[in-house]
Amino acid sequence: MNDALGQPQSVLVLGGGSDIARALTRRLVAARARTVVVAGRPGSPTVAAAAVEAANGGASVRTVEFDATDPPSVAAAVDRAFAGGDIDLVVVAFGVLGDQTDAEADPLRAVETATVNYTAAVVAGLAAATQLRRQGHGTLLALSSVAGVRVRRANFVYGSSKAGMDGFFQGLGDALAGTGARVVIVRPGFVRDRMTEGMQAPPLATDPDTVAEAVVRGLASGTDVVYVPGVLRWVAAVFRHLPHALWRKVPA
Ligand SMILES: NC(=O)c1ccc[n+]([C@@H]2O[C@H](COP(=O)([O-])OP(=O)(O)OC[C@H]3O[C@@H](n4cnc5c(N)ncnc54)[C@H](OP(=O)(O)O)[C@@H]3O)[C@@H](O)[C@H]2O)c1
């Protein structure tokens, strides 16, 4: 159960090696998370590093393996994580940006993006929801993206996968109403980290620590959706309603 201050004491991070997830886990451990299950690809150095960070912060740490290109392994990882005891917070952090140009040249290059970002996220969400319903408490936090609010020509393969997963988690949140469990969706804009390395940062670009800080605040506030930075909520609202002819002209 969350402690008296509403902080999660046990956390499962699916995609625990992600830069954003690591920044978040460090904060959660500093704020008293006692048990952390770091889940990610077998042999991933970033997953190992995340586990060491959480242990150094004083948490009891377990690692669980899965590969999001193999959706059954995602469900199995969630079940293995919960077999160790109740979990207050499940973070769905895995994802790939993919290469839009490659995907347009060879449709099969889009499969990994679609599978990891959408199919595996759906499996993770449903498997975690089953466990949270059984517990009668807990939060499912999904790392979506502003890219999914209105899909852009420049990255429509990634954007559509995030739009799909975002819509899925909205519906899952509705399905969990009244069960004691809830869903929080995080929509960061461009984050300067491993995923965007080498790309030119647009205005309002942020960093993993800022995302983590906003998520911790969002978890405490009881909100369903966290935009990072917060001003993107209003930018996204404008984007959502721009006429199509204008939207096409918005620079990449
Ligand atoms: N960076 C941004 O600008 C941005 C903006 C909005 C939303 N997001 C979303 O935030 C989430 C975290 O991304 P990030 O920025 O922290 O980037 P990141 O550091 O590249 O994290 C992505 C994570 O996904 C994991 N992953 C990729 N393919 C996987 C697979 N087949 N099986 C299991 N795990 C897999 C990676 O594992 P390894 O550690 O083993 O490589 C990595 O830990 C993603 O869902 C991303 O779409 C990112």
Side-chain angles (χ1 to χ4, degrees):
M1 290 287 261
N2 287 356
D3 68 12
L5 296 174
Q7 299 286 349
Q9 301 196 76
S10 47
V11 182
L12 163 62
V13 195
L14 296 158
S18 117
D19 282 350
I20 294 174
R22 284 172 68 179
L24 176 60
T25 304
R26 286 193 295 270
R27 270 176 197 269
L28 294 171
V29 169
R32 284 202 295 275
R34 290 282 159 258
T35 308
V36 177
V37 186
V38 181
R41 284 192 268 218
S44 163
T46 50
V47 169
V52 169
E53 278 169 7
N56 287 345
S60 152
V61 180
R62 281 197 299 137
T63 53
V64 170
E65 294 179 348
F66 73 94
D67 190 318
T69 59
D70 172 28
S73 75
V74 181
V78 171
D79 290 348
R80 274 202 306 283
F82 276 86
D86 277 14
I87 291 177
D88 299 329
L89 175 67
V90 179
V91 182
V92 180
F94 57 81
V96 287
L97 190 54
D99 187 301
Q100 176 72 29
T101 309
D102 281 358
E104 288 187 45
D106 174 1
L108 294 182
R109 301 292 295 268
V111 170
E112 184 192 5
T113 309
T115 306
V116 171
N117 294 355
Y118 182 72
T119 308
V122 167
V123 172
L126 292 171
T130 299
Q131 299 286 353
L132 297 180
R133 268 200 193 93
R134 179 188 53 73
Q135 285 182 176
H137 71 92
T139 301
L140 185 44
L141 185 108
L143 276 167
S144 176
S145 172
V146 163
V149 169
R150 187 155 186 195
V151 176
R152 286 180 301 127
R153 190 270 168 265
N155 68 350
F156 65 80
V157 174
Y158 173 78
S160 64
S161 70
K162 292 311 245 186
M165 74 87 84
D166 193 297
F168 165 81
F169 280 102
Q170 290 175 48
L172 186 60
D174 294 340
L176 287 175
T179 66
R182 69 171 176 137
V183 170
V184 176
I185 297 173
V186 183
R187 297 184 186 137
F190 185 103
V191 183
R192 283 182 231 93
D193 65 8
R194 187 155 57 106
M195 182 173 274
T196 56
E197 206 173 345
M199 296 170 70
Q200 197 181 341
L204 302 179
T206 184
D207 57 74
D209 279 319
T210 306
V211 178
E213 192 186 339
V215 168
V216 169
R217 255 188 282 117
L219 285 172
S221 76
T223 187
D224 293 338
V225 178
V226 178
Y227 281 89
V228 197
V231 68
L232 276 182
R233 180 181 295 274
W234 311 114
V235 176
V238 171
F239 280 178
R240 204 179 260 131
H241 293 105
L242 271 187
H244 198 189
L246 260 182
W247 177 244
R248 272 197 187 150
K249 292 183 182 152
V250 171

